[in-house]
Amino acid sequence: MFILMLLLFLIFDVLTFLIFDSDLTAPPFLFCLSYTFSILCAFVNYTYWGLYNYSFLSFFIFTIGAIEFIIIAFIVKNFVGSPDYIYKKTDYNISSEERKYINLDVPFTICLFIFNIVILFFWIRNVRMIAGGGNFSQMMEAYRLKTQYSLDTDVRMPGYLTQASKVVIASGYIYTFAIIENMLNKTLNKKDTILVILIVGTYIVMSLFDSNRLNLLQLLGAAVIYYLVLDNKINYKKVGSIALRLVLLFAILLFIFYEIRLLIGRSNTGNDTLVEYITKYAGGSIKLFDLFVTDSVKHISPVWGFQTFSSLIKTFRGFIPSIPDAISNQEFRIFNGISLGNVYSAYRGWYEDFGLRGDLILQGIYSLFYSVFYYELKRHGFSMHKFATIIYGYMATSILLHPISDFLFSMFLSIGFCIYLVIFYLLYILVIKKRSMKI
């Protein structure tokens, strides 16, 4: 079953590339490509992980989920994003004179940088208070264990700091978008570069002090998406060279991802080689999900939709005391003496809450949301709707992370994300809209 699944996903990659017009950012292509990479990583450990006994149920869920995503995206593309239905102003017919240079304001950016540094200072101080003593690696490990695997409210970040940190995160994406837009417009200068480094650098440092490398993966993924959707000069001849550069960039990122693991508190992986660690991290979910669905001990959610709508349920808990407090992080598993972690893919939470039917329904909604969002933006023009493009890039990285976890229902469907949208929009007005001028 596993070998057949691998072959099918390789076919899906080629199929989605062809039927979605060689579009490297088409949601179904990104989805299938991310799962192919995870399955290939699992294949490296084929014998050690006992993948020769892969269950039909896991094979069915992964395969049907991909087919469902492709079919829905294909229907949306032809109904919403048909070339004959494109508006007058899109990225494909906009002239270079109509593209705008984003003139980053120095005084405002310096003020924003100072604000972010203050937030970072208080963030680091609270991390130290929560984690206690030790070197940086020990501190990060203690902080991660106490904040992610404990129900003690005394070891959580203060509410005001959690909300303020959203400004740091949103500004990282806003300034990343700005530098890519100026780079493609050939208007990038030294001043812009320095300002972006200040803002994005603060976000990267805060992510490290949050023991969170996924933030860095998401920011880089969004940057790649911004570049590809804004570049209206990409054609069939350039796709190959761009894909090659992206593969090289991805390889470098994986190496960095591996090298900083001990720094941010992953001490239990000290003896893992690069291949062992990356294949376990990226491919472990393929085996772990199979262990979960074939487990004789059935997991029962403490409340309806606990894993799927975790952020919403945490919000409701403040108003409804009867909702039990529980840790949403999933259990670690060991197979054949090998610790595979606790990453199960997006399907795990959906299956635990709603079973096979829920998996299929939620995957359909997932595909419909991203397909409509993408093809509506493409139809109207990414460059013509910068704010929507920024938000899409921020959210679309969850497609690439689908083999790891769900973010659409568990994180984006929340009150917290609504606050993010407000912050994003205010920064967009101040940084981009008011500072854009014709080239």
Side-chain angles (χ1 to χ4, degrees):
M1 282 297 167
F2 181 82
I3 299 296
L4 177 59
M5 183 169 71
L6 173 59
L7 293 175
L8 284 174
F9 269 88
L10 289 171
I11 293 172
F12 293 159
D13 291 338
V14 176
L15 201 63
T16 52
F17 183 75
L18 295 176
I19 65 177
F20 292 95
D21 308 319
S22 306
D23 186 354
L24 296 177
T25 54
F29 177 71
L30 292 179
F31 178 85
C32 293
L33 195 65
S34 62
Y35 265 96
T36 301
F37 177 70
S38 292
I39 295 170
L40 283 170
C41 285
F43 179 70
V44 173
N45 303 280
Y46 183 79
T47 303
Y48 296 124
W49 293 359
L51 295 172
Y52 41 82
N53 286 327
Y54 209 68
S55 71
F56 176 77
L57 179 57
S58 298
F59 165 83
F60 178 81
I61 291 173
F62 284 131
T63 306
I64 293 299
I67 293 172
E68 186 179 11
F69 200 120
I70 295 169
I71 291 174
I72 290 174
F74 182 77
I75 293 171
V76 170
K77 172 183 176 291
N78 287 277
F79 187 76
V80 173
S82 171
D84 296 330
Y85 202 37
I86 293 177
Y87 279 14
K88 292 180 180 180
K89 295 293 183 184
T90 70
D91 297 302
Y92 303 102
N93 55 29
I94 185 173
S95 66
S96 59
E97 290 78 14
E98 292 176 291
R99 303 199 72 135
K100 294 183 177 180
Y101 161 60
I102 300 172
N103 182 26
L104 297 177
D105 184 60
V106 176
F108 175 79
T109 303
I110 294 299
C111 290
L112 179 61
F113 173 67
I114 293 172
F115 176 83
N116 288 355
I117 288 294
V118 171
I119 298 304
L120 178 60
F121 170 79
F122 283 105
W123 188 275
I124 294 172
R125 191 183 71 169
N126 277 273
V127 168
R128 291 183 180 277
M129 290 171 58
I130 292 170
N135 58 36
F136 183 78
S137 178
Q138 292 169 337
M139 183 174 66
M140 286 297 96
E141 184 167 23
Y143 167 77
R144 184 172 63 90
L145 292 174
K146 288 181 178 180
T147 54
Q148 295 185 20
Y149 302 100
S150 172
L151 296 176
D152 187 357
T153 56
D154 293 333
V155 297
R156 296 176 185 175
M157 280 290 176
Y160 76 90
L161 196 54
T162 301
Q163 300 306 322
S165 68
K166 290 175 174 151
V167 176
V168 182
I169 296 170
S171 60
Y173 283 85
I174 293 286
Y175 278 78
T176 297
F177 177 88
I179 197 172
I180 290 173
E181 176 80 337
N182 286 348
M183 182 174 65
L184 290 172
N185 292 339
K186 300 187 181 343
T187 56
L188 184 63
N189 54 50
K190 186 180 293 186
K191 179 209 69 173
D192 292 341
T193 304
I194 293 172
L195 294 177
V196 170
I197 289 174
L198 291 176
I199 298 298
V200 175
T202 308
Y203 171 61
I204 292 173
V205 173
M206 195 182 79
S207 296
L208 293 176
F209 273 96
D210 194 33
S211 189
N212 192 335
R213 291 167 299 171
L214 276 183
N215 283 352
L216 306 181
L217 288 177
Q218 288 175 298
L219 181 63
L220 183 63
V224 171
I225 289 172
Y226 293 151
Y227 178 84
L228 293 176
V229 300
L230 292 172
D231 188 358
N232 59 3
K233 295 180 181 178
I234 293 179
N235 53 42
Y236 293 103
K237 295 179 181 179
K238 292 179 66 176
V239 165
S241 62
I242 290 174
L244 187 62
R245 279 180 281 173
L246 289 176
V247 169
L248 180 61
L249 177 64
F250 186 59
I252 295 172
L253 177 66
L254 290 179
F255 179 75
I256 296 173
F257 193 83
Y258 169 75
E259 287 297 321
I260 66 173
R261 74 196 190 285
L262 298 179
L263 179 67
I264 60 171
R266 292 345 189 243
S267 59
N268 60 325
T269 63
N271 296 324
D272 289 354
T273 65
L274 174 63
V275 173
E276 287 173 341
Y277 183 77
I278 295 301
T279 56
K280 187 192 302 182
Y281 191 90
S285 61
I286 305 301
K287 176 61 181 178
L288 283 168
F289 183 73
D290 188 52
L291 291 175
F292 170 74
V293 298
T294 57
D295 195 343
S296 57
V297 179
K298 299 305 176 185
H299 294 252
I300 301 175
S301 296
V303 293
W304 182 89
F306 177 74
Q307 292 286 348
T308 306
F309 308 111
S310 56
S311 293
L312 275 181
I313 288 174
K314 286 179 182 177
T315 301
F316 292 146
R317 189 181 296 124
F319 302 98
I320 308 175
S322 60
I323 297 178
D325 198 3
I327 298 173
S328 58
N329 292 69
Q330 291 145 354
E331 70 279 0
F332 287 83
R333 289 180 186 260
I334 295 175
F335 179 82
N336 199 21
I338 304 168
S339 175
L340 297 177
N342 67 334
V343 173
Y344 292 78
S345 84
Y347 294 115
R348 153 70 196 260
W350 305 346
Y351 189 86
E352 180 176 334
D353 288 336
F354 308 113
L356 179 60
R357 182 181 300 175
D359 254 346
L360 297 177
I361 292 173
L362 290 170
Q363 176 68 352
I365 296 172
Y366 191 98
S367 174
L368 183 64
F369 173 82
Y370 280 107
S371 298
V372 170
F373 197 168
Y374 179 79
Y375 284 107
E376 272 292 317
L377 259 178
K378 188 171 184 177
R379 181 167 69 113
H380 290 75
F382 293 101
S383 292
M384 304 296 293
H385 295 81
K386 291 181 173 61
F387 176 70
T389 301
I390 291 168
I391 297 301
Y392 177 77
Y394 175 69
M395 297 183 70
T397 52
S398 72
I399 300 174
L400 298 171
L401 297 176
H402 194 289
I404 294 177
S405 183
D406 162 52
F407 292 90
L408 178 61
F409 299 108
S410 66
M411 188 174 81
F412 297 143
L413 188 61
S414 66
I415 303 299
F417 183 64
C418 293
I419 298 173
Y420 264 118
L421 290 178
V422 173
I423 295 171
F424 263 106
Y425 188 70
L426 290 175
L427 287 174
Y428 163 74
I429 295 294
L430 295 170
V431 177
I432 294 179
K433 189 170 183 179
K434 286 192 172 184
R435 304 298 301 176
S436 296
M437 57 183 66
K438 287 190 176 181
I439 301 171

